[in-house]
Every structure is written in C-alpha cells, then in structure tokens.
Amino acid sequence: MSADADVVVAGGGPAGLQFAREVTARSEYDVVVLESNDALSDNDKSTGGTFRQVIDRYGIPDDVVMAENEDVVFEAPGASSTLDIPGYVLDFPAFVEYLGEDAEARGAEIRTSARVQAPIREGGRVVGVEYTSGGERRELRADLVVDATGPRAVLAKQLGMFDPDSAQHGVGKEYEVEGRYDLDSMLFRFDHDDAPGGYAWTFPAGEDAFKAGICWIDDFYETHAPADDGTMDDYVEDWLAADPRWEAESIRAVHAGDAVSNNSINQRATDGLVAVGDAVSSINPLFGEGIRPGMESAEMAATVALAALDRGETFRERLAVYEDRWNDEKGLDWRIQRIVCELLYDFTPGQQRRFVTSAGRLSDAQVDRLQRYELTLRDYLELYPFDASDLSKARALVRHV
Ligand SMILES: Cc1cc2nc3c(=O)[nH]c(=O)nc-3n(C[C@H](O)[C@H](O)[C@H](O)COP(=O)(O)OP(=O)(O)OC[C@H]3O[C@@H](n4cnc5c(N)ncnc54)[C@H](O)[C@@H]3O)c2cc1C
C-alpha cells in the first residue's frame, strides 16, 4: 500500500515540531504532525527556562520570551552561590504555538485532536500509525514515523525501545504568579524542607510576574518527605510564602507534568521509525532541562532521516546513525549526570550546603562546561562533597544506571 505522507510525526511538542521544521526547511518531503491536544498551546506543562543556544540556534522570536535574566543562583540551607549563566524564560504555550505556525508556514500539516494509538507494522517494519480523531479510528501510512509523544512514549514503549524498569521518575508543579519578584536570576534551592528529594525554583516571568515551582524524584521524595507532609500544591504555596524576595498577588496559571529519565543509552531507531525528545528520554537527568536536548535530538534525527529518505532506505541500519551520534555525544554524559542526580537529590543538608558552596568556586571555564553539561570527572570531584557512604552508593549506581 502506498504512503499517505512521507513523514508522520506523533506529538506536537518542542521535539516533534522541531523535527517538522527541520524536514520542511531542508526538503520537499511532506510532513503530517498528529497532536492529541485540541491546540498545540494546550501543552503548558513546562516552566520554559532555557539558554541562549535554543534562542539563537532555533530562531526563537522575542515575543515568546517572557524574561531574560543575568545569572543562575543555587541555594541550600545556609549557602548561596551565583553563577554567571544568562538564561531565558519562555512563555511555553506561546513557544510551542510559534514552532507549529513556523512548521506550517514551511509546509507541514498539523492535525490537532488526533490521538496516536499504535504503530502499524508490516513484516516487522513500522509503516504508519493508527490514531483516533473525532471518535473515529484512522490510519496514516508514511515512509518514516517519528515518536515525539513526550514521556508517554506511545510508540517507543509498544515497540520495546527502552526498558521502563531502569527509568527514574520525577514530577513537577509550578505556579505562574503575578506579584513582586526582586531577583534578576533563575533560583534553584536544594532543601528537603522546601522540596523533599528534589529542588524548588523561582524564575522571573516579565514585569511583576514570576514562576515558582517544586520538583522531586519519586524515590528520593519517599526517603526525605516527613510522614505528615501535604500535597504538592501545599509545597508550592509554602515556597511562595517562604521568602521576602517575592510576594504573590494572584496565580495566573498552574503547570504540572512528569519526566522520565532512563539513562539515555536507549534504542532511538527501528525499521521505519525514530524517536525524539522525551519519548526517548533525551531530557538532561540532572536538572530536568528538556527543551534544549529535545530540540537537539530532533535536529540530529532529521539530518539522518533526510539522508535515509533520499535513499529510499528508512530501515534501522540507516536510521541508527542518529542513535549512534546521540549516544556518542550525550550517552555517557547523561549516564554520569543520572548518577550525579541520584546522589544530589539524596544529599544530607550538610552536603547540599557544601555542594552549593563549591558551585560558587567554579572557574569561568568550569561554569561554561557546566552550562553545556560537559563537566569532566575532575570538575565533578571538585563540585561534589562526597562522603564515604556516597562512594559505595556511586559504585552501586554505576552498575545499575
Ligand atoms: C513541570 C515541568 C517543568 C519543566 N521545566 C522545564 C524548563 O524550565 N526548562 C526545560 O528545558 N525543560 C523543562 N521541562 C521539561 C520539558 O518541558 C520537556 O523536556 C519538553 O517539553 C520535551 O519536549 P517533547 O516535545 O519531547 O515532549 P512534550 O513537550 O511532552 O510534547 C509531547 C507532545 O505529544 C503529545 N502527545 C502525547 N501523547 C500523544 C498521542 N498519543 N498522540 C498524539 N500526541 C500525543 C502531547 O500532548 C504533547 O503535545 C519541564 C517539565 C515539567 C514537567
């Protein structure tokens, strides 16, 4: 049976839409994006904190940027350090909408209210997707299918492309607030009283507005939460009320979602399909930054996919070039960061304090490497206040992660 489109992308988040932008900008292939939400801008889970690489590399316009800030502040009980890392806070729904409009302007077709259910397989090869729209079951066949459905990983899971048992699961909740915010920084606070087994943050969000949120890794939350603690909303409300540097007047929006990290050395390609973004755990496991790596994975996958489409050979051997490139570039770093993350979110308050103090002593070159997630082992040893018990934990993690 002939294909309905050259490429079908399941999921219209940053990764899927960037894939569509790359293919339509660089070729004549027709691309259809299927998104389960009624509008692309319904994807409002993310805080939208990002860095210059995203703004410059992917041509993100000013009108979807809520705030630019000078630096990043790390805090812990009794310690604070400021790192010279400029950042941007995106209006995430507007950003996703912009990516969609740009992809459409370049020729992509975007179908919303279209929920992808399963891959269509023939002779062991993915040849399209089944999806539902308006209560009807439909099929869309394509030479290449892209799973960009985020942490749900709708297709990659069914195709057994990663091992959910080795995954680490985190949750986050954030309020977008109108009110006073005295800092010109993205602030991250490591303190189990504010966010057991995770961290709390505040980001500027334009004039008289800011974002305040909490996230934690499920396993470490269990270890560090008090027996009588409240809901995640209670934690965000306490965090909002905790500090004289900001004052909330009203809550404009609530964002929430989850993140799955499973060490990133995953299978990213199979016959007829590639997976990008959170669908294949591209997110940085240490701080949960997912927009930049998600878009980078889409760009990398699109380059390989275009070469495969040009040859009419979208089988695994050709598409796995993307998987190899990703694992060469990020695989080992992401594994190390997962280990570092598991130690950091499990730190005692004393270790949190020593970690934040050491972060303030990093050289400019180390800060640059930190921002690019390219810290060396030596950098980590300077940064991390390992106790004897951590070394045996680290040894166990190396085997597990
Ligand atoms: C609370 C929170 C705060 C965060 N803050 C930041 C931050 O400040 N900075 C940062 O860089 N990252 C942040 N992240 C992570 C970042 O948002 C994600 O890594 C990023 O959105 C991943 O992009 P994606 O396109 O892979 O997936 P997603 O953004 O999850 O997009 C997937 C899309 O697929 C759609 N979809 C799902 N299932 C189907 C289906 N069956 N059929 C069709 N469509 C489907 C979804 O509706 C969605 O639109 C945060 C995450 C959370 C949860």
Side-chain angles (χ1 to χ4, degrees):
M1 199 181 203
S2 70
D4 304 306
D6 297 314
V7 180
V8 58
V9 179
L17 294 171
Q18 186 57 32
F19 191 96
R21 289 173 90 205
E22 298 282 344
V23 171
T24 47
R26 295 196 248 156
S27 76
E28 298 291 312
Y29 293 115
D30 51 326
V31 179
V32 179
V33 179
L34 301 175
E35 165 57 47
S36 56
N37 285 331
D38 294 339
L40 294 178
S41 58
D42 289 349
N43 181 350
D44 67 349
K45 67 179 185 187
S46 180
T47 305
T50 198
F51 299 97
R52 174 164 294 286
Q53 291 93 333
V54 168
I55 305 293
D56 291 350
R57 189 172 185 114
Y58 301 115
I60 306 307
D62 290 346
D63 58 359
V64 304
V65 177
M66 297 174 116
E68 279 185 53
N69 50 272
E70 298 281 319
D71 43 42
V72 169
V73 173
F74 285 163
E75 287 187 355
S80 173
S81 290
T82 301
L83 282 75
D84 183 15
I85 303 176
Y88 296 79
V89 181
L90 300 168
D91 177 341
F92 190 74
F95 161 69
V96 175
E97 199 171 358
Y98 163 76
L99 296 177
E101 282 167 5
D102 191 58
E104 276 183 317
R106 295 173 186 197
E109 183 192 341
I110 296 179
R111 297 185 196 167
T112 50
S113 313
R115 180 173 296 279
V116 172
Q117 304 287 357
I120 303 173
R121 276 178 275 190
E122 277 173 11
R125 178 190 153 76
V126 177
V127 295
V129 295
E130 287 178 17
Y131 70 103
T132 44
S133 182
E136 278 181 36
R137 190 192 152 279
R138 298 167 198 236
E139 288 190 354
L140 192 67
R141 285 169 180 262
D143 294 328
L144 180 73
V145 173
V146 181
D147 187 354
T149 54
R152 286 184 210 149
V154 175
L155 302 173
K157 258 187 204 156
Q158 293 180 54
L159 294 164
M161 287 170 65
F162 66 74
D163 170 17
D165 292 340
S166 70
Q168 177 198 62
H169 187 251
V171 284
K173 188 151 213 180
E174 173 195 83
Y175 290 1
E176 197 177 310
V177 180
E178 279 174 18
R180 178 176 55 77
Y181 186 68
D182 294 344
L183 302 174
D184 184 21
S185 315
M186 290 178 178
L187 166 69
F188 297 89
R189 184 170 174 89
F190 304 95
D191 183 335
H192 297 303
D193 287 342
D194 293 314
Y199 61 84
W201 70 85
T202 49
F203 289 1
E207 206 169 321
D208 294 325
F210 62 100
K211 301 182 180 188
I214 303 288
C215 67
W216 56 59
I217 307 285
D218 291 354
D219 290 347
F220 303 125
Y221 168 77
E222 295 299 332
T223 312
H224 294 281
D228 60 344
D229 78 332
T231 63
M232 209 163 196
D233 285 288
D234 294 334
Y235 274 101
V236 184
E237 281 160 27
D238 288 350
W239 172 233
L240 264 178
D243 202 300
R245 291 172 294 180
W246 52 81
E247 189 177 1
E249 279 164 20
S250 60
I251 312 297
R252 201 151 67 180
V254 176
H255 310 296
D258 54 358
V260 175
S261 163
N262 69 337
N263 86 22
S264 200
I265 311 250
N266 301 315
Q267 188 183 335
R268 292 179 166 256
T270 188
D271 286 318
L273 178 139
V274 288
V276 296
D278 283 359
V280 66
S281 192
S282 306
I283 192 165
N284 172 267
L286 180 52
F287 287 116
E289 187 200 354
I291 297 168
R292 176 169 45 157
M295 293 175 86
E296 285 172 357
S297 74
E299 182 185 355
M300 201 185 272
T303 300
V304 172
L306 282 169
L309 284 162
D310 287 348
R311 296 175 72 139
E313 296 176 351
T314 51
F315 44 76
R316 172 162 162 86
E317 194 189 357
R318 296 265 172 254
L319 299 174
V321 173
Y322 152 57
E323 184 177 305
D324 294 342
R325 265 184 213 168
W326 179 268
N327 287 334
D328 278 353
E329 249 183 50
K330 298 268 202 278
L332 185 60
D333 281 340
W334 262 214
R335 260 188 196 204
I336 293 172
Q337 306 242 358
R338 164 90 184 267
I339 293 169
V340 166
C341 158
E342 299 224 350
L343 294 170
L344 173 63
Y345 297 142
D346 202 21
F347 273 170
T348 62
Q351 285 177 302
Q352 288 173 324
R353 186 166 52 249
R354 277 152 52 209
F355 163 73
V356 166
T357 306
S358 324
R361 294 198 195 113
L362 292 176
S363 67
D364 290 350
Q366 286 174 311
V367 170
D368 188 51
R369 290 201 287 278
L370 170 71
Q371 208 258 324
R372 288 187 279 113
Y373 295 118
E374 287 170 7
L375 287 179
T376 62
L377 202 53
R378 201 192 173 97
D379 296 328
Y380 281 120
L381 291 173
E382 278 181 38
L383 190 57
Y384 270 76
F386 288 113
D387 285 344
S389 65
D390 293 317
L391 293 176
S392 56
K393 243 191 270 172
R395 267 200 295 275
L397 284 168
V398 168
R399 282 195 293 274
H400 166 71
V401 168

